[in-house]
Amino acid sequence: MDRTTTVPDSKASSSAAVFGAPCWVSLMARDLTPALDFYGAVFGWTFRTGRLGEQFRVALDNGQPVAGIGALAPELQVAVAWTPYFAVEDADTTAGRIRERSATVAVGPVSFQTGRGALAADRDGAVFGIWQGKLVADWESWRDREPAWLRLRTRNAFESAIFYGEVLDWANERPGCCDVQYEADEVVLRHAGHIVARLSSGALEAAPDPTLRPHWEVHFVTVDVPAKTATARAHGGVVIDQGTGATGPWATVRDPDGATFTINTRAVSAPPQAAPK
């Protein structure tokens, strides 16, 4: 089923205006068409082409942008995974900060039509991206509706907050920066009053199970987790963990290509629930 439309990105904000904040989530798949079919079936997303080329799509939920899905270039030796991107003013400067703190810049910074981006891994191995340039159209609506939110599973949340704070200019004296608070054993990141990410301790670097190693989790919010979970199974996904929290069920799913994501009924601003392990 062809779910793709061609709509140019417009009215996009600049990464400089929201520096340090999560600005997007993206999946790089081995084969674009099966990925679009799977996520279109599970979430009912439609897709539009943007300005990053024919091998990249913007996923839409009721016409609003949710995430990006692209095809991995054959020469890139990176894992298939959902990856969060953080807005920065200067990708080269930020990449330098990452390297100075003994972390890794795996790809880039690379120039695109709308900006510059890079893929990196923090000192514990959690993969994230940085983006300098135009944000997806209606980015503020994406943030306010919270269709996707983030949690870092890391060895030590406090140490990780220091690393990301130094790299991304969190909690400094500049107007518009992200605010960091320690709440209920988690580090909570806010931007413009919105909770945009949580950092949790307890991940194990040497764990044989990759879901227990340090990594960024991408959570997609829905009103019917059991239905989405059943659809994911029917289309080749594997449920690797599930449970019920304070506001309803959640499930962590591995897609047919190996990327994991969590389907959650909780908005990020709600009180913490029993988290997936």
Side-chain angles (χ1 to χ4, degrees):
M1 179 178 179
D2 186 2
R3 300 171 180 266
T4 304
T5 57
T6 302
V7 180
D9 290 336
S10 61
K11 300 180 181 178
S13 303
S14 166
S15 62
V18 295
F19 68 94
C23 62
W24 197 234
V25 294
S26 189
L27 170 69
M28 298 308 292
R30 291 188 180 90
D31 193 333
L32 182 60
T33 299
L36 300 182
D37 290 343
F38 175 80
Y39 287 97
V42 172
F43 291 110
W45 293 344
T46 57
F47 303 92
R48 74 178 184 210
T49 55
R51 295 182 178 180
L52 294 182
E54 285 299 315
Q55 292 301 305
F56 185 84
R57 298 290 187 273
V58 175
L60 305 173
D61 182 12
N62 293 319
Q64 294 294 321
V66 177
I69 300 179
L72 278 171
E75 64 272 15
L76 292 181
Q77 300 299 313
V78 298
V80 174
W82 280 100
T83 303
Y85 281 79
F86 293 84
V88 300
E89 294 174 285
D90 188 304
D92 293 288
T93 297
T94 305
R97 293 175 182 170
I98 292 169
R99 295 187 183 100
E100 287 168 1
R101 288 157 180 81
S102 302
T104 303
V105 177
V107 179
V110 177
S111 295
F112 299 92
Q113 183 179 351
T114 55
R116 287 171 60 73
L119 276 176
D122 67 22
R123 290 178 296 209
D124 292 322
V127 175
F128 66 100
I130 57 173
W131 177 256
Q132 170 199 345
K134 290 183 178 180
L135 303 183
V136 69
D138 302 320
W139 176 83
E140 291 82 2
S141 183
W142 179 86
R143 179 199 64 194
D144 296 348
R145 288 176 61 248
E146 299 169 350
W149 60 274
L150 307 174
R151 174 179 271 120
L152 176 65
R153 298 288 183 184
T154 188
R155 180 181 52 81
N156 184 295
F158 185 75
E159 290 182 7
S160 290
I162 292 173
F163 168 80
Y164 284 98
E166 293 176 342
V167 167
L168 299 172
D169 279 337
W170 292 352
N172 59 35
E173 300 300 321
R174 298 174 54 196
C177 73
C178 291
D179 179 56
V180 178
Q181 302 284 337
Y182 196 74
E183 303 173 8
D185 297 324
E186 290 184 318
V187 174
V188 179
L189 183 71
R190 288 181 172 84
H191 182 267
H194 297 264
I195 297 178
V196 291
R198 295 179 183 272
L199 287 64
S200 301
S201 300
L204 304 173
E205 292 178 82
D209 183 349
T211 64
L212 301 180
R213 298 176 203 151
H215 66 286
W216 280 97
E217 290 179 345
V218 175
H219 292 236
F220 294 109
V221 177
T222 181
V223 296
D224 193 341
V225 170
K228 303 299 185 189
T229 303
T231 303
R233 284 195 179 104
H235 287 79
V238 176
V239 177
I240 58 177
D241 199 5
Q242 60 187 323
T244 301
T247 59
W250 54 263
T252 298
V253 177
R254 181 181 294 116
D255 74 16
D257 219 6
T260 62
F261 60 95
T262 296
I263 310 171
N264 205 307
T265 52
R266 178 172 66 90
V268 71
S269 55
Q273 68 176 50
K277 298 180 180 179

